[in-house]
Amino acid sequence: MHKAIAVVMDPIEGIHTEKDTSFALMLEAQRRGYRVLYVQPGSLALRDGQAIATMAEVQLKDDKYQYFTKSDWQTFPLSTVHAVLMRKDPPVNDQFIHDTQILSIAENQGVLVVNRPQGLRDLNEKLAALLFPQCCPPTLVSRNLGELKAFIREHGDVVAKPLDGMGGKSIFRIRQGDSNLNVILETLTAGGSLTMLQRYLPEIRDGDKRILLVDGEPVPYALARIPQGDEFRGNLAAGGRGEGRPLSERDFWIAGQLGPWLREHGMLFVGLDVIGDYLTEVNVTSPTCVRELDKQFGLNIAGLLFDAIEARLEKA
């Protein structure tokens, strides 16, 4: 019997196959003979304590336009599949949390979930970096305006961001004396929200590096997201240009600090964001950049992940 893998992701109709990591993972599963089941968005549920979902089997083709066909929708227990890839993009809101709680029940019923649902709940992508302060730039997380302003006075040039953003959304560069300081901080802390401040790293001009860890081991190349024009953000979603580079000695050191801990906690596929010599974020929800690195360096990063998944399945 063919093994089956279910994929929880944003609507498949809206992806860009040339840069979509979830699509790369699905293609690799298909190459390995898995039945690939696309989970209808919003369909994770519980029936009499059993985790269920509405799914359709998909046939995939590495094409920009006609890239998938699917069967009719059917609802059945997640325990009938061997593994689930949880690839839903942030925000990590109530719906996301509840979905991970259902996936934890599926995990208890014998399904391998990648990444582990508890980790997806516990590891806020901004705060998780601070579990490893030896890797990070000077950082403050607070909702207190006085503390935030004091940090800005101390460092003179900082980056401010909310804890639940992605793709460069709502990230601000603030310099001491900025006439917009009050309104930026009031906006970010509205409703008592926590805000992260980090000392501005001028090395961002050379790119915000995405380092991928597969089962705790770093892929030896990173994708540097380089800001364009007068933009200080390197995020590809904010117009940054991607450029692949070999990892530096410091990059390997940072990966070595986090890798064993992430492996132990069931985080099989993680993206580290590194600017210069400093870790800034730990992306556990839906790390990207696989397609770009595969193309530039002739890699098969999805293959590395499936090697790790299959090793876990064999031990189960």
Side-chain angles (χ1 to χ4, degrees):
M1 182 180 70
H2 287 310
K3 289 183 177 180
I5 192 159
V7 184
V8 180
M9 59 186 287
D10 292 305
I12 193 171
E13 298 84 359
I15 66 174
H16 298 284
T17 59
E18 68 277 11
K19 61 180 182 178
D20 193 275
T21 292
S22 297
F23 185 69
L25 300 179
M26 295 164 79
L27 281 175
E28 179 64 20
Q30 181 174 272
R31 280 193 290 268
R32 293 184 181 222
Y34 287 80
R35 294 178 61 226
V36 181
L37 301 169
Y38 165 60
V39 175
Q40 186 179 56
S43 74
L44 291 175
L46 293 171
R47 181 178 295 158
D48 299 326
Q50 191 167 53
I52 62 173
T54 300
M55 300 180 251
E57 185 169 357
V58 290
Q59 301 293 326
L60 305 153
K61 183 171 65 172
D62 196 356
D63 183 84
K64 187 173 181 179
Y65 301 106
Q66 304 297 323
Y67 53 89
F68 81 101
T69 59
K70 69 177 181 63
S71 67
D72 294 334
W73 297 111
Q74 296 185 62
T75 300
F76 47 90
L78 286 173
S79 59
T80 60
V81 307
H82 296 83
V84 174
L85 300 180
M86 176 50 164
R87 294 282 306 169
K88 179 75 174 63
D89 283 343
V92 180
N93 53 18
D94 288 348
Q95 179 181 333
F96 187 99
I97 294 296
H98 295 155
D99 282 348
T100 66
Q101 290 167 334
I102 292 171
L103 290 173
S104 283
I105 292 173
E107 187 178 49
N108 291 338
Q109 294 168 350
V111 182
L112 175 65
V113 182
V114 180
N115 284 319
R116 191 174 184 189
Q118 181 179 343
L120 295 176
R121 290 192 296 274
D122 290 350
L123 298 178
N124 175 278
E125 300 193 330
K126 309 295 191 298
L127 297 179
L130 296 176
L131 294 170
F132 306 91
Q134 71 275 20
C135 301
C136 299
T139 302
L140 172 69
V141 178
S142 178
R143 56 175 63 90
N144 182 286
L145 292 178
E147 292 176 353
L148 295 168
K149 289 179 179 179
F151 185 89
I152 295 167
R153 285 195 299 273
E154 177 184 358
H155 293 284
D157 195 353
V158 307
V159 171
K161 49 191 170 182
L163 297 184
D164 60 353
M166 64 167 289
K169 182 178 179 181
S170 299
I171 295 180
F172 298 89
R173 181 179 178 184
I174 306 174
R175 297 174 179 87
Q176 174 63 25
D178 191 325
S179 61
N180 291 310
L181 171 62
N182 286 332
V183 70
I184 291 172
L185 294 182
E186 288 166 7
T187 299
L188 289 172
T189 60
S193 296
L194 284 166
T195 294
M196 173 177 277
L197 298 183
Q198 290 181 323
R199 188 184 73 198
Y200 174 73
L201 300 171
E203 295 89 346
I204 185 62
R205 292 190 297 266
D206 298 320
D208 181 354
K209 293 174 285 187
R210 168 60 55 83
I211 299 171
L212 295 174
L213 300 184
V214 178
D215 201 15
E217 296 295 329
V219 174
Y221 299 93
L223 190 74
R225 287 81 52 88
I226 302 170
Q228 300 297 292
D230 59 0
E231 176 62 71
F232 79 93
R233 297 170 299 172
N235 309 76
L236 299 182
R241 176 176 61 84
E243 178 183 297
R245 295 176 184 165
L247 297 194
S248 68
E249 182 177 346
R250 172 73 176 187
D251 294 336
F252 277 112
W253 180 83
I254 291 172
Q257 296 292 298
L258 278 74
W261 189 92
L262 291 166
R263 182 191 302 116
E264 180 183 345
H265 288 79
M267 299 289 102
L268 267 66
F269 188 47
V270 176
L272 309 182
D273 287 350
V274 173
I275 299 173
D277 288 337
Y278 294 102
L279 174 71
T280 60
E281 293 188 19
V282 179
N283 294 270
V284 299
T285 53
S286 54
T288 59
C289 300
V290 161
R291 297 286 266 174
E292 295 92 338
L293 289 171
D294 280 356
K295 182 178 181 180
Q296 184 165 346
F297 296 106
L299 306 175
N300 181 10
I301 298 169
L304 298 176
L305 179 58
F306 269 87
D307 287 346
I309 288 171
E310 291 179 342
R312 299 282 176 114
L313 291 175
E314 288 175 6
K315 293 178 181 179

